[in-house]
Amino acid sequence: MADDSLILAIDNGTQSIRALLFDKHGNLVGKGKQEIEPYFSEQPGWAEQHPEYFWQNLGLACQALWQSTSAKPEQVRGVTVTTQRGTVINLDKDGNPLRPAIIWLDQRHANVEGPVKGIWGAIFKLIRAEEPIKRFREKAQANWIIQNQPDIWAKTHKYLLLSGYLNYRLTGEYRDSTGSQVGYLPFDYKKHRWASRHDFKWQITPITRSMLPDLVKPGEKLGELLPEAAEHMGLPNGLPVIAAASDKACEILGSGGLSPDTACMSYGTTATINTTNHKYVEPTRLMPPYPSALPGHYSSEVMIYRGFWMVSWFKQEFGLREQRIAEQKGIEAEALFDELVNSVPPGSMGLMLQPYWSPGVRQPGPEAKGSIIGFGDVHTRAHIYRAILEGLAYALREGKERLEKRNGQTIRRLRVAGGGSQSDAAMQLTADIFGLPAERPHTYETSGLGAAIDASVGLGLHPDFKAAVKAMTRVGDVFEPSKEASALYDELYSDVYLEMYNRLQPLYRKIRKITGYPK
């Protein structure tokens, strides 16, 4: 391969689609970004989007890319795709969508009556797994569709994740990556393949094997770029399309996380902390580790469902002043929000936040709600903003300690990526709360980079994943913890934060019983 070889990585996130050009050294040489509406909602709690909308905006992102770079389409050696997780699409026999995609943020639930029948029901009762199985059945979008739109389900020829749909549009093949299979599907998370025919998952959903795509490992070829797809993206015909993985998995690989002593944190719409392991390690009992972007490996993940959505919420509800000043001065609003954080001392003068602001979360429990305690007359919106960032970091530190216990290995390094990682203030308080240096990868586009690493191995630009990660990832800024701030945070975390949920849980249950929310 020539030294000017490039990889085009498509990153279809929740709020934007990005077309990213990387060279074999991990340098971002071109970027096209298209903002998208995350979803529309026809009913409270629903989150849907038209599949064609994603495809059209992918094309617009590619148009923006070629307008932003001096690189040429002829330099591209291959294409790869990483997407948001858990978004599902029903296609008819001609490959056309039958209904809008159900987005991962969707809150609808199927009706579940009675336990699972037969031997599996007895097994679940014996191992006390009835409640997790019930939640799986309720949240499986396929169950809702067959109950409420049986005509749609009857016409469904293929049932794909967003990654599988985009790969189909690129290649005409119903193929997807094992690394993208995160959702309520009959997938074997231990063996990274579709579940065996006797597995209970086939019993508790209406999905059949023929509805699902064929699977290949990250780094393997999915197919070749169709002429119409090549034209849509401004690329030569017939380029190889290489399997990557889900956006979170690619973010970990793009951050250089290859072992359980490195924690990769994602400060995105959903905030996560992950470790990569060659062993199958459940971060929480009966919660499987997700497939890694590194073939044959697992991502043990602890997730804060709303995550940096809470930051967006704060900016929308309380941050209009900073946004207007930024517009007037022609600067990024993030700098002003960092000033807001830094105007408040570590610990937010005793204001403590618990970030369970999403109905029906599995961890720590379906009754959990968000809380802010410790208010006094000294507190302002700046204290609330800092308390949000601190609360997310406390929750992720709790996840770190759980992963260390499950993995049997101490975490020695923190790599922080995602939109929230661009805040120096958030990075510094993360280092202080964890008591570890917080490392920011050299590029903000870590999920796209992780996908490009997968493609680089599949295209032969690097001989293996270890060599690719070494060549294409590196640490950018490093934020060292302050001893004084860390000592304060240790006390607040141990003596207050870890006590909050147990103390408030009975009240959460009463609120749920009285109001019916969340159901």
Side-chain angles (χ1 to χ4, degrees):
M1 292 279 184
D3 284 341
D4 66 350
S5 296
L6 299 175
I7 297 162
L8 176 57
I10 300 296
D11 184 354
N12 191 153
T14 303
Q15 301 185 58
S16 69
I17 300 177
R18 298 184 294 284
L20 307 165
L21 276 180
F22 289 97
D23 66 19
K24 66 180 184 179
H25 305 293
N27 298 310
L28 181 64
V29 300
K31 174 179 177 178
K33 181 178 179 180
Q34 182 68 23
E35 301 284 349
I36 60 173
E37 289 294 328
Y39 60 85
F40 60 84
S41 185
E42 294 184 350
Q43 299 285 341
W46 289 18
E48 299 181 326
Q49 189 51 270
H50 296 292
E52 183 66 22
Y53 177 79
F54 293 120
W55 179 246
Q56 291 304 320
N57 280 282
L58 183 156
L60 293 175
C62 289
Q63 288 181 27
L65 165 66
W66 298 120
Q67 292 169 6
S68 74
T69 180
S70 59
K72 304 299 181 186
E74 293 74 25
Q75 294 175 250
V76 177
R77 301 293 178 253
V79 177
T80 188
V81 170
T82 181
T83 71
Q84 56 182 266
R85 306 183 299 189
T87 290
V88 295
I89 296 171
N90 299 66
L91 299 183
D92 67 15
K93 59 182 178 61
D94 297 317
N96 298 314
L98 288 162
R99 66 175 321 283
I102 299 180
I103 305 300
W104 65 274
L105 287 163
D106 194 279
Q107 292 292 318
R108 77 189 76 188
H109 286 70
N111 291 322
V112 172
E113 296 181 2
V116 176
K117 297 177 181 179
I119 186 65
W120 280 113
I123 291 172
F124 297 145
K125 185 174 182 179
L126 180 66
I127 65 174
R128 298 181 180 178
E130 291 174 297
E131 188 60 31
I133 297 302
K134 183 183 180 210
R135 283 198 292 270
F136 184 101
R137 295 164 70 193
E138 288 175 337
K139 292 185 177 182
Q141 301 97 326
N143 286 341
W144 186 92
I145 295 170
I146 198 170
Q147 286 177 6
N148 295 274
Q149 299 174 334
D151 55 328
I152 295 292
W153 193 259
K155 296 175 185 175
T156 299
H157 174 64
K158 292 294 178 182
Y159 186 68
L160 307 176
L161 294 173
L162 177 58
S163 53
Y165 172 73
L166 293 182
N167 287 326
Y168 167 69
R169 294 299 297 264
L170 293 174
T171 67
E173 303 282 348
Y174 290 118
R175 306 184 85 189
D176 200 7
S177 172
T178 56
S180 296
Q181 305 312 303
V182 178
Y184 299 100
L185 300 169
F187 184 71
D188 186 330
Y189 284 95
K190 186 171 287 188
K191 297 181 180 178
H192 291 177
R193 66 189 187 193
W194 296 126
S196 64
R197 63 192 184 93
H198 298 298
D199 193 288
F200 73 91
K201 295 187 187 78
W202 300 109
Q203 182 180 339
I204 63 176
T205 71
I207 302 167
T208 63
R209 174 62 187 89
S210 64
M211 291 179 173
L212 299 169
D214 294 330
L215 297 177
V216 304
K217 296 177 183 178
E220 294 184 354
K221 186 176 177 180
L222 288 160
E224 295 179 350
L225 206 58
L226 292 170
E228 56 267 33
E231 182 179 1
H232 188 60
M233 301 171 72
L235 290 171
N237 292 345
L239 286 176
V241 179
I242 306 297
S246 68
D247 54 2
K248 296 294 184 187
C250 285
E251 213 169 74
I252 298 162
L253 188 62
S255 299
L258 295 178
S259 59
D261 64 348
T262 299
C264 292
M265 296 165 62
S266 174
Y267 278 179
T269 305
T270 294
T272 60
I273 182 166
N274 280 272
T275 55
T276 301
N277 208 323
H278 71 280
K279 298 185 298 182
Y280 179 92
V281 177
E282 294 180 347
T284 303
R285 181 176 174 270
L286 301 178
M287 174 66 77
Y290 296 134
S292 171
L294 185 65
H297 286 66
Y298 306 91
S299 274
S300 297
E301 175 180 292
V302 175
M303 176 177 71
I304 310 301
Y305 188 75
R306 286 293 177 180
F308 271 69
W309 170 92
M310 296 174 65
V311 172
S312 300
W313 168 83
F314 176 89
K315 291 175 180 178
Q316 178 180 325
E317 300 296 333
F318 304 105
L320 185 60
R321 177 178 178 273
E322 282 72 23
Q323 292 176 26
R324 284 181 173 172
I325 292 173
E327 288 176 8
Q328 291 169 2
K329 293 185 175 181
I331 61 175
E332 290 292 327
E334 290 306 317
L336 299 179
F337 283 108
D338 270 10
E339 288 181 13
L340 205 61
V341 176
N342 292 328
S343 70
V344 172
S348 301
M349 299 182 73
L351 204 62
M352 299 287 291
L353 180 141
Q354 192 176 60
Y356 303 128
W357 290 30
S358 185
V361 293
R362 175 173 178 181
Q363 184 66 34
E367 73 289 329
K369 303 179 83 66
S371 297
I372 308 178
I373 64 171
F375 273 109
D377 59 0
V378 299
H379 292 120
T380 66
R381 65 193 182 98
H383 293 86
I384 296 173
Y385 187 47
R386 185 175 184 109
I388 288 173
L389 297 177
E390 290 174 340
L392 288 169
Y394 287 139
L396 291 169
R397 174 174 166 175
E398 190 177 10
K400 166 187 170 286
E401 293 171 359
R402 195 187 319 157
L403 290 173
E404 287 176 324
K405 184 177 180 180
R406 303 290 287 185
N407 288 331
Q409 187 161 349
T410 300
I411 289 171
R412 305 183 188 282
R413 286 181 296 277
L414 291 182
R415 300 273 168 81
V416 188
S421 71
Q422 298 310 290
S423 163
D424 286 358
M427 292 293 291
Q428 184 59 56
L429 68 83
T430 297
D432 293 340
I433 286 174
F434 279 76
L436 289 170
E439 302 174 347
R440 183 189 281 155
H442 78 278
T443 178
Y444 164 68
E445 299 291 356
T446 45
S447 54
L449 177 58
I453 290 170
D454 280 328
S456 75
V457 177
L459 294 167
L461 292 172
H462 294 290
D464 53 45
F465 284 91
K466 186 176 181 180
V469 168
K470 183 177 180 180
M472 297 177 73
T473 69
R474 47 198 173 274
V475 174
D477 298 321
V478 179
F479 296 79
E480 297 287 344
S482 156
K483 288 185 179 179
E484 183 179 341
S486 289
L488 172 69
Y489 280 130
D490 276 344
E491 283 195 75
L492 288 171
Y493 172 74
S494 300
D495 296 346
V496 182
Y497 182 83
L498 291 180
E499 295 288 327
M500 284 177 68
Y501 179 73
N502 289 335
R503 299 283 186 93
L504 294 172
Q505 186 187 46
L507 298 180
Y508 292 154
R509 287 176 174 163
K510 288 180 181 179
I511 291 171
R512 186 181 186 186
K513 181 180 179 181
I514 294 167
T515 67
Y517 180 83
K519 291 183 180 180

